[in-house]
Structure formats: structure tokens, C-alpha cells
Amino acid sequence: MVMAAAPWLCSWQLRAGLVAICISFVFNTNCAIAARQLMRSSTGQDHIRRNLLDNGLGLTPPMGWNSWNHFNCHIEEKLIKETADSMVSTGLAALGYEYINLDDCWAEQNRDSEGNLVAKSSAFPSGIKALADYVHSKGLKLGIYSDAGTLTCQQMPGSLGHEEQDAHTFASWGIDYLKYDNCYSTGTSPKERYPVMSKALLNSSRPIFFSLCEWGVEDPATWAASVGNSWRTTGDISDNWDSMTSCADQNDIWASYAGPGGWNDPDMLEVGNGGMTLEEYRAHFSIWALAKAPLLIGCDIRSMDDATLSLLSNKEVIAVNQDKLGAQGKQVTSGTDLQVWAGPLSDNRVALVLWNRSPSKATVTAHWSDIGLKPATVVEARDLWEHSTGPSVSEKLSADLESHACKMVALRSVIGGLRSGRSWNQYISPAAVRNVESAEFQWRKMMSTGSASAEKEEKESEVKKVEDSTVVSNYWGIMRPKITREDGTEWPWNCFKPWDTYRADTSIDLSKHHVPKNFQDRVAFRAVKFLRVLSDLYFKERHGCHAMMLETVAGVPGMVGGMVLHLRSLRRFEHSGGWIKALLEEAENERMHLMTVGELVKPVWHERLLVLAAQGVFFNAFFVFYLLSPKIAHRFTGYLEEEAVISYTDYLKAIEDGKIENVPAPAIAIDYWRLPKDARLLDVITVIRADEAHHRDVNHFASDIQFQGKELREAPAPIGYH
């Protein structure tokens, strides 16, 4: 049995090794701490869900222009160039509108003799590569369109079955954005077709924003975060009031799934196309901005009027859409045409839209209880369309609005603060920063006035809040939130948060083996095999103990590699192509493996000390190894992870054969991998093995890049599912 009942090392064996390596451990403790801190500082996005598509794109909703809403199939090279010119000359580019996206009808009806997509010669005589170069010369980016079917909606060739080929074609042309439609799908699920193109784009050597357009057929908000950077939640929008409001309402259902790196998409903007009134267009733009929807202009910007340009270039409304918190706003009242929409912003602000969807003039009121504020909270309200700040208000905010008109404001607390507890949970997405949830400022401490009794009252209130929370107020007087699971129970872990969890890809190919191709490969392979022999001799059939030491060693390569890349990136002022995050996240994942195995083995103090000391020694050795030859270091790690897959396979066989009791899974594992509440040890080892297979692929890929004489940053890191 691998349980707490039996120690897994004899005391005399331990002490002989410990004396020799304790000094090395002491020196390396600080290194491990520094590496972990580097992880937090280098990613800077701890609040982003771990299962996002990692191409480094879409940290804020995309902004740009798309050809379909106004021009349909009537597009050609001159139009696109003139649109790029206008994007710059109107000042829209300076506001963040950067994508110039071709929709359907840009390609010939047939592929060339080698199966490649070809631009329609009559419309794009210079080709797409030349067009991309022109758009790039304007400081803009070019987007293109394809389909996850045999044909596009307008019956040009689709990409189904040609994903790798088309992705490399798009990359070679310099494409920056792909809209991927859902026509002629042969009846297979989007969940099967879209990930194929996603992986192809990641392997294309060029970061390409991936926009899924499957029309919300299979609720992509629930599964597309690991596949694309945005996903359509609705059918196609039309230039009329009913269509626009319908898209807004359908998109609102999925608010909690959006966040930096992955956005809900209620379709492109119709502002300026003439089918709605100015006030309806204002509401359209306001709600899209609040909902963190992609802001893709759909009119002819070459000839738009001043009113349209004014709407589209409102810096304050755009700032709501591009807010760094990335929390999608949503409707917070229901059952009426007099609606209140709201969402949190960074710096403890709240964005608010009062919207009269009724057929006549009416007063719309937002009560503080609707938006998570205490009734006594005093706020200043900044009108984002009038560009003015009114008198401070409390309890509620009202506006008299014409039919279909709206008022959009940003609220900033003057006295009071956001409501403590869970009130923001229903508004903030799981991908957003949670420390906004319960921010409670000690305003009176910053003020010189106020009665002694009021001061005493507030102090008592603060003490009660501390007693009610598991986290003490920090130096700045901001309370840390009480985080809860989806079922309302308290989140017990400090080592990771709900948005750091994920489901392992247990369908990953476990049989992969990198055949040694050269002398360096053979050295790395044989070194790992030699270590495996020593490990087997020492631990024999004690799989849990073997796993514990394995995870101790396996956490080091990612930590070292990520730290070295981080320092190199700072020295050269270069990006890493996602590799810093990939390697440090690998180290963090291995740490969670170690914590989970530790829960099962329950090591005594000298076993814990051996684990830490072994990590210290291996850290020194691998650090030197990585500086001398990172490509061999990654190859060594790849083979080490191959052995990990084999070891965990042996572990699973021992469980299935009854040699090891299939005990209930530790609570930490159930939360981290989102396992069922009745999960067992077998389930835990299965997902850990899948993680190791992913780490295997990452490290062999890193080594392959460097053996080709390239730097890691030249190829996007294949972070995959975590």
C-alpha cells in the first residue's frame, strides 16, 4: 500500500545523503523563491484562466473593421487599401482600431494545383501578401476569412481537411486575424472541427488572432476558450433595432465566460450603415463596449458622416471596452424595457448603462443594490457621452431618456465602497481579477474631518470584517475577497485559485517517443535511462514515493528555463513568444503534482527535507546545464517526462491490479483538475500522467526549435490545455 502507514526510506540511507547536500539546499532555497516570484511577475496575468488559447493575443477585445456588413461580396484590393488609409486619416487607428479584415469572397473558386488557396485575381491582382504588406506599412493588421467546412458560406473553398496547409499559407502572407465560419460542415460538431485549425495556427510560426464564427450553435462560450480568442454567441446581426437588441440579449447569457484572451462576440458593429437612428447606434456601441465585445466597424469608413465618426471615436467609451480588468458587463435588471446594465472596471470603478428600450420616453433608474454598491455609498458619475462629471450621488442614479436612448456613466466611489462578499460574483467573469470583489477602502483614514463616534463606528466595522474574513486587511486597507466555488461553498486553497484550475487533456497521445537522432540526443536519452535504473533500484515498487521524488526533480527544468529566459528577455528587451509563461507554468504544474502526491504519501520531516535538498542539488546542476546547452537541457527534460509517463502508467497498473488501494482523491486534486467529487486515486494519476505527456511535448518541441538553429521566441509556445 502507498499510504501514510509506512515510511518509504530507511533512516540510515537518508542521513548519509542529507549531511552531504544540506548546504547546497540552503543556498538554493532563495533561488527557488526567486524563480517563483519571477513566475508571478513575468506572466502578470494570474487572473486569466489556465485553459486559454495561448498565442499571446486578445488580452483586450479586438478593434478594427470588417468588410461584410456593408460590402458583402463586393470587395477588391483598392477598397481595402483605401479603408486602411481612412482608418489612419480619420484618427481611428490611433484609438486602437487596428485590424482590417476581409470577409468572404476574396478567393478563387478553386485551389491551385498544389491545393493552396488563391486570391481572386480579378479583385486582388497583387495578391494577399502584397496587400498585407501595404496594410502593415500603415501600422495596421490584416485579417482574412475561411470556413470550418468544405466550402465557405459564399462557396469559395473551405479549410476543412486543409487546416495545416491553409494556416501556413495565411502565416506566409502575413495574416494577423482569422475569422472562421461554419458553413458546409458535413454535419460534424464544431467542437471537433475548430480545434484542428486552432492547433494549425499555433504551429504556423505566426501569432494569428483566431475568431470562431460558429454562430453560438453549441454554446462555444463553454468550450472555446482553449480554442480561440473570440467566439460568436449569436447568429448574424442585421442593421435594425430588433436584430441588434436580440444579439445583445443572447450574448449577455454568456457574460461570465469572457475575459482577457477569450471574448464573447455578438457580431460586428452596424453603426453608420443607416438602418437605425443615431440614438439606437449610440446604444449599440455602448452595450458592445460594456460587454467587452470585439469592436469591428461594419460601415464604409471612407465616406462616413461626422456623427458616425464621433460615435466610433469616443475615447471614454472605448476605454470601457479596453479596460485592463477585462470583466464583461451585463444586464442587472430583468423583466422590463427600462434596463440597467453594469460591470466592474479597474481602479474600483463601475461602468453603468441606463437603457430605455421602450417605445416612449421614460425614466430609467439604477439602484445601488442592483450594481453591488452599498446604499450609502457616495459616487461621482462621469457621463461618457457628454464628457462631464455631475454632482456626487448616493443610493441611485436616474436619467430621463427618449425611446431607445441610453446614458453611459463610470462611477467612482467618493465615500463608502463596493459591497463586501459575493455581490460582484455575478458580474465579474472567472477570467477577471477577483480582488475587485470586496474592495473596501478606509476613506476616513485619508480624511482629516469626521466625528470621533463615526471613527469608532468605522473601526468596529473594520474589525468585524476582518473577523468575518479568512484574510486580514492589507497595508492599504483593502480587504481580500472570500472566494467561493460554483456551489457557494468557500474556496479553501491559497496555493491556487478557481481561475487557475483546468481539466487535463487525457486524450493526449501517451505513446509518443522522440527517437534519438544525433549524439546529443543519445547522451540525453541514456542519462535519463541511467537515472531511471538507479531510481528503480532504490524505490522498487513504491510508486507513490517514486512519484514524489520524480515531481521534485521535474519541477526544476521549467523553473530554471523560465527564469533564464526572463532574464535574457529583460537584457535584450525582446519578447519570448510565450515561452517564459510556458516553462514557468510547467514548473507550477509540477509543484501541484508534488503537493498532490504529498497528500497521498504523507511524508515525515526527514522525507520532506530530502525532497527540498534534492531539488536544491538538481537546481544547481540543471542551471549550469541550461546555460551551457539549452537545447540538450530541453531534450533531457523531454526524455525525463517520457519516463514520467511510463512511471505513472506503472502506477496505474498497480492500482488496477489491486496492489495499491484506490483511495479517494485528495480534495486539492479534485479542485485543481475539476474532478468529480467521488474521484479516486486512479483518476488523479490519470490526469497527472496526461500533464506529463504535455510537458514532454513542450520540451521536445523547444529542443527541436533550437536544434534548427533558431531561438525559442521564433515559434509560439504550445501551451495547450494548461
Side-chain angles (χ1 to χ4, degrees), residues 18 35 86 95 106 141 146 148 183 202 247 264 276 327 353 378 397 428 430 434 452 492 550 556 588 609 641 690 713:
L18 289 176
S86 296
L95 296 174
W106 60 267
K141 298 177 180 180
S146 190
C183 291
L202 284 174
C247 287
N264 291 319
M276 288 184 266
V353 175
V378 179
L397 182 70
I428 303 181
R434 290 311 203 274
L550 177 67
V556 168
E588 178 72 3
L609 187 57
E641 299 294 0
R713 66 186 184 86

Coordinates of all heavy atoms in Angstrom, one line a residue, residues 18 35 86 95 106 141 146 148 183 202 247 264 276 327 353 378 397 428 430 434 452 492 550 556 588 609 641 690 713:
L18 N 21.8 13.2 3.5 CA 21.4 14.6 3.9 C 22.5 15.4 4.3 O 22.6 16.6 4.1 CB 20.4 14.5 5.0 CG 19.0 14.0 4.7 CD1 18.1 13.8 5.9 CD2 18.3 14.9 3.7
A35 N 12.7 32.3 -8.3 CA 12.1 31.8 -9.5 C 10.6 31.8 -9.5 O 9.9 32.2 -10.4 CB 12.6 30.3 -9.8
S86 N -8.0 55.4 -44.7 CA -9.0 56.1 -44.0 C -9.0 55.8 -42.5 O -9.2 56.7 -41.6 CB -10.4 55.8 -44.5 OG -10.6 56.2 -45.8
L95 N -6.8 55.3 -32.0 CA -7.7 55.0 -30.9 C -7.7 53.5 -30.6 O -8.3 53.0 -29.7 CB -9.1 55.4 -31.2 CG -9.3 56.9 -31.3 CD1 -10.7 57.2 -31.7 CD2 -9.0 57.6 -30.0
W106 N -13.0 36.6 -51.1 CA -11.7 37.1 -51.5 C -11.0 36.1 -52.4 O -10.0 36.4 -53.0 CB -10.9 37.5 -50.3 CG -10.6 36.3 -49.4 CD1 -11.3 35.9 -48.3 CD2 -9.5 35.3 -49.5 NE1 -10.7 34.8 -47.7 CE2 -9.6 34.4 -48.4 CE3 -8.5 35.2 -50.4 CZ2 -8.8 33.4 -48.3 CZ3 -7.6 34.1 -50.2 CH2 -7.7 33.2 -49.2
K141 N -3.1 45.9 -39.1 CA -3.0 44.4 -39.3 C -4.1 43.9 -40.2 O -5.2 44.5 -40.3 CB -3.2 43.7 -37.9 CG -2.1 44.1 -36.9 CD -2.3 43.5 -35.6 CE -1.1 43.8 -34.6 NZ -1.3 43.2 -33.3
S146 N -12.1 32.3 -43.5 CA -12.2 31.0 -44.1 C -13.3 30.3 -43.3 O -14.1 30.9 -42.6 CB -10.9 30.2 -43.9 OG -10.9 29.0 -44.7
A148 N -14.8 26.4 -41.5 CA -14.5 25.1 -41.0 C -15.4 24.0 -41.7 O -16.0 23.1 -41.1 CB -14.8 25.0 -39.5
C183 N -20.1 27.2 -42.3 CA -21.0 26.6 -43.4 C -20.4 25.3 -43.9 O -19.2 25.0 -43.8 CB -21.1 27.6 -44.5 SG -22.1 29.1 -44.0
L202 N -1.4 27.7 -34.3 CA -0.4 27.8 -33.3 C 0.9 27.2 -33.8 O 2.0 27.7 -33.4 CB -0.8 26.9 -32.0 CG -1.8 27.6 -31.1 CD1 -2.2 26.6 -30.0 CD2 -1.2 28.8 -30.5
C247 N -29.2 40.3 -30.5 CA -27.8 39.9 -30.3 C -27.2 40.2 -28.9 O -26.5 39.5 -28.3 CB -26.9 40.5 -31.4 SG -27.2 39.8 -33.1
N264 N -16.6 36.9 -25.7 CA -17.9 36.7 -26.4 C -18.0 37.7 -27.5 O -17.7 38.8 -27.4 CB -19.0 36.8 -25.4 CG -19.0 35.8 -24.3 OD1 -18.8 34.6 -24.6 ND2 -19.3 36.1 -23.1
M276 N -30.5 52.3 -38.5 CA -31.0 52.7 -37.1 C -30.8 54.2 -36.9 O -30.1 54.8 -37.7 CB -30.3 51.9 -36.1 CG -30.6 50.4 -36.0 SD -29.8 49.5 -34.6 CE -28.4 48.8 -35.5
A327 N -13.5 42.5 -17.5 CA -14.8 41.8 -16.9 C -16.0 42.3 -17.8 O -16.2 43.5 -17.9 CB -15.0 42.2 -15.5
V353 N -24.8 51.5 -17.7 CA -25.6 51.9 -18.9 C -27.1 51.9 -18.5 O -27.6 50.8 -18.1 CB -25.4 51.1 -20.1 CG1 -26.3 51.5 -21.3 CG2 -23.9 51.1 -20.6
V378 N -21.4 57.1 -1.7 CA -21.4 58.3 -2.5 C -20.5 58.2 -3.7 O -19.3 57.9 -3.5 CB -21.1 59.6 -1.6 CG1 -21.1 60.8 -2.5 CG2 -22.0 59.7 -0.4
L397 N -29.1 56.3 -9.3 CA -28.9 57.2 -10.4 C -30.0 57.1 -11.4 O -30.3 56.0 -11.8 CB -27.5 57.0 -11.0 CG -27.1 57.9 -12.1 CD1 -26.8 59.3 -11.6 CD2 -25.9 57.4 -12.9
I428 N -18.6 39.7 -12.4 CA -17.2 39.5 -12.9 C -17.0 38.1 -13.4 O -17.3 37.1 -12.8 CB -16.2 39.8 -11.7 CG1 -16.4 41.1 -11.1 CG2 -14.8 39.6 -12.2 CD1 -15.5 41.5 -10.0
P430 N -15.0 34.6 -14.5 CA -13.9 33.9 -13.8 C -12.6 34.2 -14.3 O -11.6 33.9 -13.6 CB -14.3 32.4 -14.2 CG -15.7 32.4 -14.6 CD -16.0 33.8 -15.2
R434 N -10.0 39.0 -9.1 CA -11.0 38.9 -8.1 C -10.9 39.9 -6.9 O -11.7 40.0 -6.1 CB -11.0 37.5 -7.5 CG -11.5 36.3 -8.4 CD -12.8 36.7 -9.0 NE -13.5 35.6 -9.5 CZ -13.4 35.0 -10.7 NH1 -12.5 35.4 -11.5 NH2 -14.2 34.0 -11.0
A452 N -15.6 61.7 16.3 CA -14.9 60.5 17.0 C -15.8 59.3 17.0 O -15.3 58.2 16.8 CB -14.6 60.9 18.4
P492 N -11.0 26.8 -0.3 CA -10.1 26.6 0.8 C -8.6 26.8 0.5 O -7.8 26.8 1.4 CB -10.4 25.1 1.2 CG -10.7 24.5 -0.1 CD -11.4 25.5 -0.9
L550 N 10.2 12.1 -8.2 CA 10.1 12.4 -9.7 C 9.6 13.9 -9.8 O 10.1 14.7 -10.6 CB 9.2 11.5 -10.4 CG 8.9 11.7 -11.9 CD1 10.2 11.6 -12.7 CD2 7.8 10.8 -12.4
V556 N 12.1 21.4 -11.6 CA 13.2 22.3 -11.7 C 13.4 22.8 -13.2 O 13.7 24.0 -13.4 CB 14.5 21.6 -11.2 CG1 15.7 22.3 -11.6 CG2 14.4 21.4 -9.7
E588 N 5.0 25.3 -12.2 CA 3.9 25.5 -11.3 C 3.0 24.2 -11.3 O 2.6 23.7 -10.3 CB 3.1 26.7 -11.7 CG 1.9 26.9 -10.8 CD 2.2 27.4 -9.4 OE1 3.4 27.6 -9.1 OE2 1.3 27.6 -8.6
L609 N 12.6 17.0 4.0 CA 13.9 17.6 3.8 C 14.7 17.0 2.7 O 15.3 17.8 1.9 CB 14.7 17.4 5.1 CG 16.0 18.2 5.2 CD1 15.8 19.7 5.0 CD2 16.6 17.9 6.6
E641 N 10.4 13.5 -19.0 CA 8.9 13.4 -19.0 C 8.4 12.2 -19.6 O 7.3 11.6 -19.2 CB 8.3 14.7 -19.7 CG 8.7 16.0 -19.0 CD 8.1 16.2 -17.7 OE1 7.4 15.3 -17.1 OE2 8.4 17.3 -17.1
A690 N -1.3 12.6 -17.9 CA -1.6 13.5 -19.1 C -0.8 14.8 -19.1 O -0.3 15.2 -20.1 CB -3.1 13.7 -19.2
R713 N 11.8 32.1 -29.1 CA 10.8 33.1 -29.4 C 10.4 33.2 -30.8 O 9.4 33.8 -31.1 CB 11.4 34.5 -29.0 CG 12.5 35.0 -29.8 CD 13.1 36.3 -29.2 NE 14.2 36.8 -30.1 CZ 14.0 37.6 -31.1 NH1 12.8 37.9 -31.4 NH2 15.0 38.0 -31.8

